[in-house]
Amino acid sequence: MKPIFQFHPKLVDTLKEYSAKDFSADVIAGITVGIVALPLAMAFAIASGVTPQAGIFTAVIAGFIISGLGGTRVAIGGPTGAFIVILYGIATKYGVDNLAICTMMAGVILFVMGLARLGTMIKYIPYPVTMGFTSGIAVLIFTTQIKDFFGLKVANVPSDFFEKMKVLAENAGTFQWPTLLLAAGSLAVIRFWPRHWQRHVPGSIVALILGTLAATLMHLPVETIGSKFGGIPEGLPSPHFPALSWDIIRNLIQPAFTIALLAAIESLLCAVVADGMIDDRHNSNQELMAQGIANFVSPLFGGIAATGAIARTATNIKSGALSPIAGIIHAVTLLIIILVAAPLAKYVPLAVLSAVLVNVVIHMGEWHNFGRLNKWPRNDSAVFLTVFGLTVVVDLTVAIEIGLILAAILFIKGISETTHITEVGESDDAEGAHHSAAGKDIPEGVLIYRMFGALFFGATDKLESALQGLKQDPDVLILRMRKVVAMDATGLNCLEDLHERLVQKGKHLILSAPQSQPLDVMAKADFLDNLGRENVCANVDASLARAREILGLPPAAVPHDPLHEEKRKIEILRKELAEAIERANNGGSKQS
């Protein structure tokens, strides 16, 4: 029996056969991905409405915890672009202090999800839903970067999509050429940096260094981290627990669940991607518990929400990472950077960080899916476009909720359309010998109906419609259920009503070859006892025999087989041939 509480980090397993060679590979990978994470962490934080150091603190604290306690071998945790829109909205509406509380609440929710072993439930979120909101988030991130990319003179950018686009359009004439050229140049460096150099020197770091040098040496009139935020502190702050009240917690429950759900989806998607790249298998529940701890602890040190980062995880793997030690080294690398080089961060232009985020948007958006919509089932295309549109113009929470509901309704509709209930005759049935009615004597007053698919709330009307078309109820109704794969309470109730109606009229119901799941549902509800277990038969032959017994008819005559004698002769010849082959084989063995 498995214990109720299981907490087993992947790190424990990987250290059992860990070697100095493995550590060397992890150190190289960790340093590489740590350098890659630096500009991303600052850019994600600024776009989320907080200070740049909040992103670095998150990458250090949460990245360390997720790697050390998580359920994946090489995944990297930290701030990601998926959170930008949510965190910006929460910070704007409730304030930065309450954003920390909301993130901690999300951490508790994530831990409980992992503790309750709900990690595998994430796989039931349809692909069009996840890709729809991912593409929508990419569009929203891009809209948040228009101001810094073009250097627009806008004091406050609204969070609402249409209001935001209206304000940006009205202030389009205030763009600054130095800012635009610096941002465009930085983006070009990132995009066109040789791919084979990326492993050793990431393009984003090159753009960060060159852009900072250009702005500093040329005295470009562009906004920097120093001019907007006053720089970055040298080292981690002391932990601080925010003040709590029931009113605050009550107001933050919904956004906390949004953060938790998104963190769960992103982290497990990241884990699946990592598994595919290294041929491993992650522990989804352990990963959720680690994500929960990381999101609870990170805000205590001034951090924001964190989850698995797919791009940084891919960089980690391509750099040769072999264990969670690489993720820990990545966090330590970032800590060393802020301890040593924090004073230099104030010279970093916001336009360069904006270019970094625009590059993230280009890779993040599932843009190719728009070209595939006409090749997808229409239901999936409708779900994708609905989630995408709602994410952009309304809210991510609403988009996921409506997307899941719409996907569920369309799925139910699709499944119900696969359910068929038709009458079976003596000449139109092509099942196997015992399950077919073809060529068999079906007594007068006996009717056989074939059921196919799932008998559930979305399809029970088909059974009712089929039977309502009868001029009169048969004396014995046989429902052939061999291909009914599932049944729910509504389907059971439909059968119970049918049986009750037949009994009131002195008629009978026989079930032929029900599958295990429907049989179990009927047994637990005592329907089989009410029906009479003798009226549940293994096949059509047995069902017809039971029907004749109910009607007081003699057993059906066994049909004469005109090929019986020929079959008997062929069987005799087959046995004689087998015996001859065996004697020949035995003789050959003795001679050798």
Side-chain angles (χ1 to χ4, degrees):
M1 181 177 178
K2 291 184 177 180
I4 297 176
F5 180 75
Q6 288 185 313
F7 194 87
H8 190 79
K10 196 77 168 183
L11 179 63
V12 174
D13 294 329
T14 56
L15 290 180
K16 292 179 180 178
E17 299 179 354
Y18 201 65
S19 65
K21 183 178 179 181
D22 295 336
F23 179 72
S24 177
D26 282 338
V27 168
I28 295 173
I31 293 174
T32 301
V33 76
I35 294 173
V36 170
L38 177 63
L40 290 172
M42 292 190 293
F44 291 146
I46 293 172
S48 299
V50 295
T51 58
Q53 59 263 32
I56 300 179
F57 297 160
T58 305
V60 173
I61 301 297
F64 186 94
I65 294 174
I66 290 172
S67 293
L69 302 179
T72 62
R73 184 179 291 271
V74 290
I76 297 295
T80 66
F83 283 124
I84 288 176
V85 180
I86 299 173
L87 301 186
Y88 182 83
I90 297 173
T92 302
K93 185 175 181 180
Y94 300 103
V96 176
D97 289 341
N98 288 336
L99 172 61
I101 296 173
C102 188
T103 304
M104 295 173 69
M105 291 171 60
V108 174
I109 295 170
L110 280 166
F111 188 86
V112 172
M113 288 173 65
L115 189 64
R117 309 188 68 78
L118 297 179
T120 56
M121 297 297 291
I122 304 299
K123 67 183 180 182
Y124 296 113
I125 297 180
Y127 179 82
V129 174
T130 57
M131 294 303 100
F133 76 69
T134 299
S135 299
I137 289 172
V139 171
L140 290 176
I141 294 174
F142 178 75
T143 63
T144 65
Q145 296 310 300
I146 293 176
K147 173 180 177 293
D148 289 336
F149 197 92
F150 290 88
L152 301 182
K153 299 297 182 181
V154 181
N156 294 306
V157 180
S159 58
D160 178 76
F161 177 77
F162 292 112
E163 288 295 324
K164 180 191 304 179
M165 298 311 296
K166 179 182 178 182
V167 169
L168 292 175
E170 290 174 348
N171 291 272
T174 65
F175 79 94
Q176 305 295 310
W177 277 112
T179 303
L180 175 57
L181 291 176
L182 182 61
S186 299
L187 180 60
V189 170
I190 298 172
R191 297 291 297 165
F192 297 108
W193 188 250
R195 183 170 298 179
H196 59 278
W197 291 356
Q198 284 282 0
R199 179 173 178 177
H200 305 288
V201 185
S204 58
I205 291 296
V206 175
L208 184 70
I209 295 173
L210 293 180
T212 303
L213 288 174
T216 304
L217 298 177
M218 300 173 66
H219 303 288
L220 296 178
V222 296
E223 199 169 26
T224 64
I225 289 178
S227 64
K228 186 170 184 178
F229 302 103
I232 292 177
E234 300 177 34
L236 294 175
S238 300
H240 170 70
F241 201 95
L244 293 176
S245 70
W246 170 243
D247 289 337
I248 292 175
I249 294 175
R250 183 180 56 190
N251 292 331
L252 295 176
I253 288 177
Q254 184 178 10
F257 268 99
T258 303
I259 293 175
L261 179 60
L262 186 56
I265 294 172
E266 288 289 313
S267 64
L268 296 184
L269 282 176
C270 178
V272 170
V273 171
D275 285 351
M277 295 181 70
I278 64 172
D279 192 23
D280 194 32
R281 187 176 180 83
H282 71 279
N283 183 332
S284 56
N285 297 309
Q286 180 65 38
E287 184 67 15
L288 289 184
M289 287 190 284
Q291 296 285 342
I293 296 172
N295 279 282
F296 185 86
V297 175
S298 175
L300 298 177
F301 292 87
I304 54 177
T307 186
I310 297 177
R312 274 163 279 168
T313 296
T315 301
N316 191 38
I317 295 171
K318 292 176 182 178
S319 300
L322 298 173
S323 78
I325 295 295
I328 294 174
I329 296 296
H330 134 269
V332 173
T333 299
L334 285 168
L335 178 60
I336 293 173
I337 290 175
I338 62 173
L339 289 174
V340 175
L344 300 177
K346 66 181 180 181
Y347 299 107
V348 176
L350 297 185
V352 175
L353 296 180
S354 178
V356 171
L357 277 186
V358 171
N359 183 62
V360 170
V361 166
I362 294 173
H363 289 287
M364 180 180 178
E366 299 290 336
W367 315 118
H368 64 283
N369 284 325
F370 288 93
R372 300 168 59 194
L373 291 179
N374 61 339
K375 300 178 181 179
W376 281 3
R378 283 188 296 177
N379 290 349
D380 290 330
S381 298
V383 170
F384 176 87
L385 291 174
T386 299
V387 175
F388 172 78
L390 290 175
T391 300
V392 173
V393 303
V394 182
D395 177 72
L396 177 62
T397 306
V398 174
I400 294 177
E401 291 172 351
I402 298 298
L404 288 175
I405 293 172
L406 180 60
I409 292 174
L410 293 176
F411 174 77
I412 292 168
K413 178 177 180 294
I415 292 296
S416 66
E417 290 174 350
T418 66
T419 301
H420 301 289
I421 301 173
T422 56
E423 184 179 352
V424 175
E426 297 181 20
S427 60
D428 61 350
D429 197 9
E431 293 288 337
H434 292 293
H435 297 284
S436 174
K440 295 175 182 176
D441 181 17
I442 302 178
E444 185 177 351
V446 175
L447 195 62
I448 304 177
Y449 264 82
R450 176 199 297 118
M451 304 174 69
F452 177 88
L455 187 61
F456 72 120
F457 68 92
T460 52
D461 63 310
K462 294 191 176 183
L463 177 59
E464 297 170 354
S465 299
L467 296 177
Q468 285 174 357
L470 298 176
K471 294 181 180 179
Q472 63 179 18
D473 290 326
D475 294 323
V476 178
L477 174 63
I478 299 175
L479 293 181
R480 199 177 73 192
M481 301 181 65
R482 193 165 74 93
K483 293 188 176 180
V484 176
V485 295
M487 177 191 293
D488 68 356
T490 307
L492 172 66
N493 183 70
C494 184
L495 284 184
E496 290 174 333
D497 289 345
L498 172 62
H499 175 242
E500 185 177 348
R501 191 182 82 188
L502 290 173
V503 169
Q504 289 175 352
K505 297 180 179 180
K507 312 296 184 180
H508 302 272
L509 175 65
I510 294 176
L511 304 181
S512 175
Q515 296 277 8
S516 58
Q517 193 274 344
L519 194 64
D520 185 57
V521 170
M522 293 185 288
K524 288 182 177 179
D526 298 326
F527 176 64
L528 296 185
D529 294 329
N530 295 332
L531 176 68
R533 292 182 180 267
E534 67 276 10
N535 294 322
V536 181
C537 303
N539 50 53
V540 171
D541 284 348
S543 300
L544 287 173
R546 173 58 184 160
R548 298 182 74 87
E549 181 182 342
I550 291 173
L551 297 174
L553 300 175
V558 178
H560 174 68
D561 186 358
L563 300 178
H564 175 73
E565 186 62 25
E566 286 75 5
K567 291 179 180 178
R568 187 183 67 82
K569 292 179 181 179
I570 291 174
E571 180 63 19
I572 293 173
L573 290 173
R574 187 191 66 78
K575 290 182 179 179
E576 291 177 350
L577 179 61
E579 291 173 357
I581 293 173
E582 185 177 358
R583 287 195 299 271
N585 289 337
N586 290 337
S589 299
K590 292 178 181 179
Q591 291 177 5
S592 62

